[in-house]
Amino acid sequence: MTELHQYTVTQLRLGASCPRVHYFDADWSRRHGKRRVTLLWRQGAVPAGGALFHRAVERFTARAAGDDAVREALQTAQSAADLHRAFAVHFQRSFDPRALAGKPVQVQRGFVDALHCYLEELANVAVAARTSGVDVARIVEQLFGDPRKKVDVTFELHDGQRVRVTGAVDYVFFDWRTERHRIFDYKLAGGATGGHGDLVQVSAYALMHNQQHGTPPTWPSTTCTPSARWSSAPGSGCGTSARIYDYLASMIAWEAFDERTGAGVRPPGEPSLCGGCRWRRECEPRLGPKDQGERVTGWTDAAARGERAEPRIDVRKPPRACPSPSSRRIRPPRRTPRPPK
């Protein structure tokens, strides 16, 4: 019998970051009859600074989309370095530095490094587009319009397992230098190499976005990393996609692990996430040391043998388009108090 497992894009990111959090969330959801998805970020190990960086970039993007000064900078900047400095000035207007107060020094340094890298990349993409004769209005739309794209993709794996992933893949841009779409991923910015989970997550995003919207991605789809075509990536084709299929199969297997008997595929842990994890006190008592765990490797093993079998991938049209960040209020409107009767 075919079994359908449904995940959101957020769950896909979470499981790639720490399989044990995925397991604990799934176990809690089964016992309580409702879905729980833990949101957490690495403590000091992520150059992007986690949720703080995402919120700051979203605020900057929302304001830049309708800012005449940003358009003027795009029109008049003599170089990518000039535009980079202009972007930094506009970013400061939408970010309160007090938000970094009290954060560890490495987090503050990582935030600044990732921000520098991110704005530099935006400037390089924009100047390349302008040099190619692209209209400024189109550049603004691509960089600061609605960068999110919804996906609804179903993978048919081995043994009748089907995995449906739905949600929005954030920050997809068209890069005029490569004539390809690209995902700007902050966790791999600022010179970070990224772990297994980060690379698999971004690769999965790129593959799903391509299936849904027909946008062959660059590789790696990360900020401040030289881009090459997906098809030319090391271990590309079945090799690259096989890691994604193995990861989806692993998510199913981790959920089914029996911690009482030890039967099944034990999920490994990620120590760098423990500081902000609600499951940190239960993790090792229930599942053992974090370095003990396995992943499904059937697809990558087959690729290593030269077998190029691919799962069937179905795509559905998402129900509604995502609202543009520029259309959302940054702050809720104030309510006018009613006069006393």
Side-chain angles (χ1 to χ4, degrees), residues 26 30 46 67 70 72 92 96 120 165-166 190 226 252 256 262-263 265 294 334-335:
R30 281 193 299 266
V46 171
D67 192 334
V70 170
E72 182 179 356
Q92 291 173 3
D96 186 351
E120 181 182 43
V165 182
T166 58
I252 298 173
V265 180
E294 303 84 32
R334 294 181 178 179
R335 295 182 178 180

Side-chain angles (χ1 to χ4, degrees), residues 117 120 129 140 144 162 165 170 185 189 231 251-252 259 287-288:
C117 188
E120 181 182 43
V140 171
F144 305 116
R162 298 171 65 232
V165 182
D170 293 335
D185 188 78
S231 58
M251 291 183 71
I252 298 173
E259 60 185 85
L287 297 178

Side-chain angles (χ1 to χ4, degrees), residues 158 238 245 299 302 307-311:
H158 294 308
C238 186
Y245 309 145
W299 289 94
E307 301 174 10
R308 292 196 168 271
E310 295 280 338

Side-chain angles (χ1 to χ4, degrees), residues 17-93:
S17 300
C18 182
R20 290 197 173 183
V21 175
H22 171 71
Y23 168 81
F24 286 124
D25 281 353
D27 178 64
W28 188 96
S29 300
R30 281 193 299 266
R31 290 186 286 107
H32 292 82
K34 55 184 178 181
R35 177 180 290 179
R36 163 175 276 183
V37 180
T38 299
L39 298 179
L40 46 78
W41 303 89
R42 287 185 180 87
Q43 301 299 305
V46 171
L52 175 64
F53 188 87
H54 274 271
R55 289 194 300 269
V57 168
E58 286 181 354
R59 198 175 298 117
F60 164 70
T61 300
R63 293 184 176 181
D67 192 334
D68 291 337
V70 170
R71 293 174 181 266
E72 182 179 356
L74 284 166
Q75 187 72 54
T76 61
Q78 297 298 311
S79 65
D82 290 341
L83 187 56
H84 183 193
R85 285 190 289 270
F87 282 163
V89 170
H90 293 294
F91 187 93
Q92 291 173 3
R93 297 175 182 173

Side-chain angles (χ1 to χ4, degrees), residues 79 104 124 148 151 153 218 249 257 329:
S79 65
N124 289 335
R148 302 174 302 167
V151 294
V153 182
T218 57
F257 177 72
R329 298 182 191 270

Side-chain angles (χ1 to χ4, degrees), residues 155-237:
F155 300 85
E156 295 192 4
L157 304 176
H158 294 308
D159 303 323
Q161 294 177 333
R162 298 171 65 232
V163 178
R164 181 184 179 189
V165 182
T166 58
V169 176
D170 293 335
Y171 306 108
V172 178
F173 296 90
F174 185 80
D175 191 336
W176 285 274
R177 296 170 299 179
T178 59
E179 294 295 317
R180 292 273 178 166
H181 281 78
R182 187 175 181 189
I183 298 174
F184 280 28
D185 188 78
Y186 310 124
K187 294 183 301 304
L188 304 181
T193 57
H196 175 275
D198 292 337
L199 292 174
V200 169
Q201 172 205 333
V202 176
S203 300
Y205 283 3
L207 178 60
M208 288 190 300
H209 194 271
N210 183 31
Q211 292 289 334
Q212 186 81 55
H213 302 285
T215 54
T218 57
W219 177 269
S221 298
T222 58
T223 307
C224 295
T225 307
S227 300
R229 293 191 176 188
W230 171 269
S231 58
S232 65
S236 61

